[in-house]
Every structure is written in structure tokens, then in C-alpha cells.
Amino acid sequence: MSTLPFKPWSTAIAVATTLFIWLVIPLPEGLTPNAWLMLAIFVGTIVAIIGKAMPIGAISVIAISIVAASGVTGDTPGEAISVALSSYANPLIWLIAIAIMISRGLIKTGLGARIGYYFISIFGKRTLGIGYGLAFSELSIAPVTPSNTARGGGIIHPIMRSIAHSFDSHPEDNTSGKIGKYLALVNYHSNPITSAMFITATAPNPLTVQLISSATGAEIQLSWLTWAVAMLLPGLVAILAMPYILYLLYPPEIKETPNATQLARDKLAELGKLSRNEGIMLFVFLVLLLLWADIPAIFLGDAVTLNTTTSAFIGLSLLLLTGVLTWEDVLKEKNAWDTLLWFGALIMMASQLNETGLISWFSANMQSWITMMGIGWAGASALLVLTFLYTHYFFASTTAHITAMMAAFLTVGLSLGAPPMPFVLIMAATSSIMMTLTHYATGTSPVIFGSGYLTLGEWWKAGFIMSVVNLLIWVVVGGLWWKLLGHY
């Protein structure tokens, strides 16, 4: 008997949710039928994603089909399908897809592993030092690895396990406490911090940029450089604090690790001298950082300024022209093509919710409710941020969470008088900080949790503590830094 291509119960719940909203709940005053139907399709899509009824790309294809066929986005069939596909012209969607393709070069050439072992060779004499080595390795490759799962789970995690095994720390024989538990925690909790620091460090960040632009009427459009500078100081403080806090929270039995330095040096010796392809990959990496940071314009003027997505295309072109990546490599990078597809669908639906007036209607009602509480903009902002952060316990996808809640929460906070730039930046950071919470919070978590070094209780305890620590760092350090930068 063949297996169904979808999960029956998850699919049934998603369909039932869509039909219940559309056909059973009365149309609220102030909304058009099209706005209500768009909401029903949107919520049904999010429910399907949360329940993993099908792969997210397949769900997105179906959502596009339903949106176009329903006519909710246009007066004619041609207009409806044009609007349903309109988001695929958005440069931010292509930025993240192209950057994922580029990051394949870090894995293929071995440059990612070399960078990781290099940091371990420097900091690896003590267990705490290994923790910092893993964290700095994550940070060094984050700007060009939009798949936080590939970064934390595909590049750093094998290095972490190799080190743990070298000290005979294995989950199977109950020796996780020697060193493996601590290193697994650092391996994971580096991921949310680095994801918050660059637009190109995790796939949902461009979606956040798009939603911020919509919520502010295009008054705030975060560039790669603006985001990176704003998140720099709080991110560095968080990355410096995290290994030490986890060291205190779950102290490893092994404190001195001179063998780790030698292991890293042995691994580097196995890799040999920097290969041609690694050198080219490193060159392209540095070129992209210079272009994204708009460094050429500082010396040569605005005439040489390139769009961030254009720069990404140039980087990929260089890798193809030099043979570091082949077209087959690009075609096989399923995550990039999958991301391109589902990002376009979700941005389209989020945009249509705004176009039909649903977001403004919902935000006005939420604003009225919060206003009646009499807590002012500061209290309202805190309530919105905390609610947004801790409702991630109910989500297994940061993308689904951001798509479902970010736009409305941004609109409400700004309407209640929150300083625009600090509020959108703390919401942007929170969309990554929330990854700390659970063993299903993002794609990296099941990879590292699945290695068996931590119990469920240990994972959740560390996740909650680090969510509080990271949020405090971004509010306090970030707030002072953004004041210094003139953002308010």
C-alpha cells in the first residue's frame, strides 16, 4: 500500500480551519469578503506548516494555487495569478536563495571546517576555550550562510562531535557530562545569536525586513549594513557571554583540554595547505562582505554602490566561472530552491493581508485592547515582544511564526508610540532569539538535540535561561548602542 504524500490528520485540520474561518465565523464589521477569505487561506497555510502536513514548498504551491483560483487577489484570472506570483520579483527572496547556494562552497571546499578547526587550535586548551572556538567559528561564517541549519548542524556540529568523541564523551555510555553536553549547548546557542546579527545569517530575516518595510510604510528599509551595524555590539556581547553562562549552568567534568588543540592541528594537517578552491571561496567571501557593507562606495562614491542581491549574484557568478561550484551543485542545492518557492508564497500572502486591510483592522482592535490596559507604549512594547518571543513554544518554524504574527505586532507597537527604529530592531532580534527555546524551534535544534547529549529537561531549561539573557542583552546593550548610533 502506497504512503500518502501528506499527513492526513494535519491536512484535515488545516482544511477544516480554513473552511471554519471562511464559512462559519461571521464576517467582522469593517472587513471585505476578500480580506476574510485571504485570512482563511493564510491561517490554513500556517496550520499546515506547523503540522507539517507536507513539505513547506509543496504547501506553498498549493497555497498559491488556491489564492489565484479563488480570485481573492484580482478582478480577472490573469490579474489573480500575476499577483499570486508577484513576490518572486522581490530581490530579498533571491538574496537568500543565492546566498544559500554560495554557502554550499563553504562545505564543498572544506573552508568551513578549516575555519572551525583553526579557532579550536587557538582556543582549545580549556573546555571553555573550545566553547568560544565553536562560537567564533559560527560567527565567522554566519554572514554567508543563510541556512542556520547548515551552519550549526552541517558545519559546526560535526566538529563539536569530533572533539567530544576525542575525550570519550558519548551519550550511549552516559559520559555526556564529561564535555559533550556543554559543547552541544554552545554549538546550539551560538546559532540564534549569529542568526540575529546579519540579514543573510538565517532564511527568515529578509521576510522580517519586508514586514518592517510594510509596517512602517517603507519609512524603515533595513539594508544589510544597517542591520549588521545595529546588531553588532549586542551580538558580540551575547556571543561572549553565552559560553561562560552555559559553563556555569552545566559545568563539564573535564576542564583542561590540551588534546583538543592537538586534534584541531591534526585535522588542519589532514586538510593540508589552503587549496585553490578554498582560496577562491575565501576571496569571494571577503568580496561579498565588502560589497554588502558598501565599502567601495566610501572610496569611489555612490556610483559603485550595488544592490545587496546584485552583489550575491556576482559572488555566485565568480564561483561558477572559477569552477568552485558547478551548475550541478547549484541545481542540487534543494534548500535554496525550496526557500525561494516558499518565501515567495508567504511574502505574497502577508502582503495581500495588508493590501486587503486585514492587518490594519486586526492591529486597530489589538491596539484598542492594549490601550484599555493603560500601560503606555513602553509597557505595550514589552508585552508585544515577550508575547512574540514565548509564543514560539507553539511553533516548529520561525518562518511560520514570523509570518503569522510579526506584521500585526509591529503595526500595534508603532501605533502605540514605540520609537520606530529600536522597536523594529528588538522585534527583528527576537525573531532569532526565540530559536533558543525548544528542541523543535528551528532546523538546527533537532540535529543537535538528536545527537543525544542532553535530556529534554536540560535543553528546555538552558533554552529559557538563554532567551532571558539574550533578550536582556539586546534591550540594554542594544538600546544604548542604538542611541549612540542615532536611531532614536
Side-chain angles (χ1 to χ4, degrees):
M1 185 175 179
S2 62
T3 304
L4 290 173
F6 55 85
K7 294 180 180 178
W9 281 109
S10 297
T11 303
I13 292 171
V15 172
T17 301
T18 304
L19 295 176
F20 182 80
I21 293 173
W22 182 33
L23 300 175
V24 178
I25 300 178
L27 178 67
E29 185 178 349
L31 284 181
T32 65
N34 271 358
W36 198 240
L37 175 56
M38 189 68 238
L39 175 67
I41 297 170
F42 174 77
V43 174
T45 301
I46 297 300
V47 170
I49 292 172
I50 292 172
K52 298 182 179 179
M54 295 180 76
I56 189 171
I59 293 171
S60 300
V61 168
I62 294 169
I64 291 170
S65 303
I66 294 172
V67 167
S70 68
V72 71
T73 58
D75 297 327
T76 66
E79 184 181 352
I81 187 61
S82 295
V83 174
L85 296 174
S86 59
S87 290
Y88 293 104
N90 188 320
L92 283 174
I93 297 173
W94 282 95
L95 168 64
I96 213 70
I98 297 301
I100 292 173
M101 296 171 191
I102 291 171
S103 69
R104 167 56 50 186
L106 285 173
I107 300 172
K108 181 182 178 182
T109 64
L111 181 62
R114 183 184 293 276
I115 291 171
Y117 284 118
Y118 174 74
F119 279 110
I120 300 300
S121 72
I122 297 174
F123 297 101
K125 291 183 179 180
R126 297 175 181 271
T127 302
L128 183 59
I130 297 175
Y132 279 106
L134 292 174
F136 293 150
S137 299
E138 259 265 358
L139 178 59
S140 67
I141 62 176
V144 291
T145 46
S147 172
N148 60 295
T149 303
R151 184 170 70 251
I155 297 175
I156 305 300
H157 188 56
I159 296 173
M160 170 255 136
R161 293 189 70 176
S162 176
I163 295 168
H165 290 171
S166 73
F167 287 94
D168 293 320
S169 183
H170 306 279
E172 306 82 39
D173 53 16
N174 297 317
T175 55
S176 295
K178 281 186 174 182
I179 193 172
K181 181 185 298 184
Y182 170 70
L183 295 184
L185 281 169
V186 174
N187 179 187
Y188 183 66
H189 286 282
S190 302
N191 211 234
I193 296 170
T194 59
S195 294
M197 292 180 70
F198 308 96
I199 286 178
T200 46
T202 187
N205 281 349
L207 175 60
T208 298
V209 171
Q210 184 73 25
L211 294 174
I212 288 171
S213 177
S214 296
T216 60
E219 289 185 13
I220 297 178
Q221 299 196 53
L222 296 176
S223 67
W224 190 93
L225 182 60
T226 302
W227 179 304
V229 172
M231 300 300 184
L232 176 64
L233 188 59
L236 287 176
V237 171
I239 210 78
L240 288 171
M242 176 270 298
Y244 185 68
I245 291 171
L246 292 174
Y247 189 85
L248 296 177
L249 188 61
Y250 291 106
E253 297 167 13
I254 297 174
K255 305 293 193 297
E256 305 289 333
T257 56
N259 292 348
T261 302
Q262 188 58 50
L263 171 69
R265 289 172 179 165
D266 291 342
K267 291 288 187 181
L268 289 171
E270 286 179 23
L271 291 170
K273 293 182 179 180
L274 195 73
S275 68
R276 168 191 176 274
N277 284 357
E278 283 181 287
I280 294 171
M281 185 68 224
L282 181 59
F283 172 75
V284 171
F285 189 167
L286 295 175
V287 166
L288 284 173
L289 290 181
L290 291 172
L291 292 176
W292 286 340
D294 213 15
I295 299 299
I298 296 175
F299 300 99
L300 302 174
D302 293 339
V304 297
T305 297
L306 294 174
N307 178 274
T308 308
T309 305
T310 304
S311 300
F313 268 98
I314 290 172
L316 180 59
S317 298
L318 289 173
L319 294 178
L320 289 170
L321 286 168
T322 55
V324 174
L325 290 178
T326 66
W327 187 242
E328 285 300 315
D329 293 325
V330 172
L331 291 177
K332 289 177 182 177
E333 192 53 55
K334 296 179 182 179
N335 190 32
W337 298 110
D338 190 45
T339 300
L340 181 71
L341 184 63
W342 61 254
F343 244 141
L346 291 180
I347 286 181
M348 176 272 293
M349 288 190 287
S351 299
Q352 287 307 303
L353 287 175
N354 195 43
E355 289 290 328
T356 58
L358 192 285
I359 294 296
S360 58
W361 172 85
F362 179 78
S363 300
N365 282 277
M366 181 183 276
Q367 180 180 341
S368 298
W369 175 72
I370 293 178
T371 301
M372 286 191 295
M373 297 173 66
I375 56 177
W377 71 261
S381 298
L383 177 63
L384 290 167
V385 170
L386 289 171
T387 302
F388 183 68
L389 173 57
Y390 290 108
T391 47
H392 198 59
Y393 279 112
F394 304 103
F395 286 87
S397 164
T398 52
T399 303
H401 189 170
I402 292 167
T403 308
M405 301 179 69
M406 175 73 86
F409 276 42
L410 286 170
T411 303
V412 172
L414 295 171
S415 300
L416 289 168
M421 196 64 167
F423 181 66
V424 302
L425 287 173
I426 197 65
M427 285 291 288
T430 302
S431 68
S432 289
I433 292 171
M434 64 190 182
M435 295 178 189
T436 65
L437 294 175
T438 67
H439 60 300
Y440 51 82
T442 186
T444 317
S445 41
V447 175
I448 299 175
F449 179 74
S451 64
Y453 282 99
L454 289 109
T455 66
L456 188 62
E458 290 169 335
W459 187 280
W460 279 48
K461 176 184 174 183
F464 178 78
I465 291 172
M466 289 311 303
S467 74
V468 174
V469 170
N470 287 332
L471 185 59
L472 286 173
I473 288 172
W474 252 274
V475 169
V476 177
V477 178
L480 293 172
W481 177 236
W482 301 331
K483 181 72 172 178
L484 184 63
L485 291 173
H487 287 323
Y488 68 102

